[in-house]
Amino acid sequence: MLKAILHGKAGRAVLAEGLEQSWREIFRQREDLLTATFFGRLAYLSDAGKQRVLKLLAPGLEESPGSIESISFWPRLTGHTGRQFVEPDVLINCEYAAFLIEVKPPFGGQQSFEQWKAEIESFVLQKDQENSEWAVPDRICFVALGRNAKDWRTTATTLETEYAEDGLSIHAIEWDPVNHGITELLDSEEGHDAFIYSDWIEAFSLFGLINRPAPFEEMLPLVGKIPSDWPQLFDTAAPARSSSVNEEIDWKSIMRLISLSNLEPALWA
């Protein structure tokens, strides 16, 4: 379906109001489709590829989360007090940690600190319940992907302190660095993971995400075409001066010139 949307072959959908809209535009407007496209393909990466993507999502994560054991979409968590349930976008259970992920598209609604707290609290309470299906190791990585406030770290520190016993760490990251990181992975990947990275980059382009050019990228095609003796082409050095100086410096004339100027002699020293 993604390929059909990308190449304009998915046709148009009839909305409830009787209006037609292209699937391309529907994809751009629905964050759930972006979530499914990105994280739905994560499971098909190699083990090494999965770990590289997790590092992109949680930069600065010091300890390895271990291998991915399961990926759940929009899990319904009922542990939160005062609300019937909450639904984080993705829950990834790893050997040594759980990733709670809240996704916002590159343009649209902002991340909500109240939503962060509700999802974290609900997960902590529910995973501690007897016979809970969310029983995971006592480390939680909360990832806020896209549309983060500039002062997110202040609130994140408060939540990390409140849930320190649960090993909570919060990672707020935007789509641009994720897109750029995946582009770098694609450039160095020769196995089947490259197909998944390529799909992601194409999907991101629907949201206006483009690859950031590397420094002096326009010069990269010249690599290998520059002759090895290129320094000689720019050798404009003057002929070497003689090591022996036969003439004496006329200091008297120089000092007379200085005295006729408006500058103090000390400035000429």
Side-chain angles (χ1 to χ4, degrees), residues 218-230 233:
E218 68 279 2
M219 298 179 65
L220 294 180
L222 299 177
V223 175
K225 298 180 180 180
I226 301 176
S228 59
D229 61 344
W230 67 267
L233 301 177

Side-chain angles (χ1 to χ4, degrees), residues 56-59 111 113 116 142-149 152-153 156 160 169-174 177:
L56 285 178
L57 296 174
Q111 293 280 351
F113 295 143
W116 292 12
F142 186 88
V143 177
L145 177 55
R147 305 288 292 170
N148 288 285
W152 69 269
R153 174 38 62 189
E160 288 171 343
S169 63
I170 295 180
H171 310 268
I173 188 168
E174 300 303 319

Side-chain angles (χ1 to χ4, degrees), residues 238-257:
R241 297 179 60 185
S242 173
S243 59
S244 61
V245 179
N246 297 325
E247 64 217 51
E248 294 183 1
I249 300 176
D250 188 356
W251 288 108
K252 290 184 179 180
S253 299
I254 293 176
M255 292 305 296
R256 189 179 302 113
L257 177 62

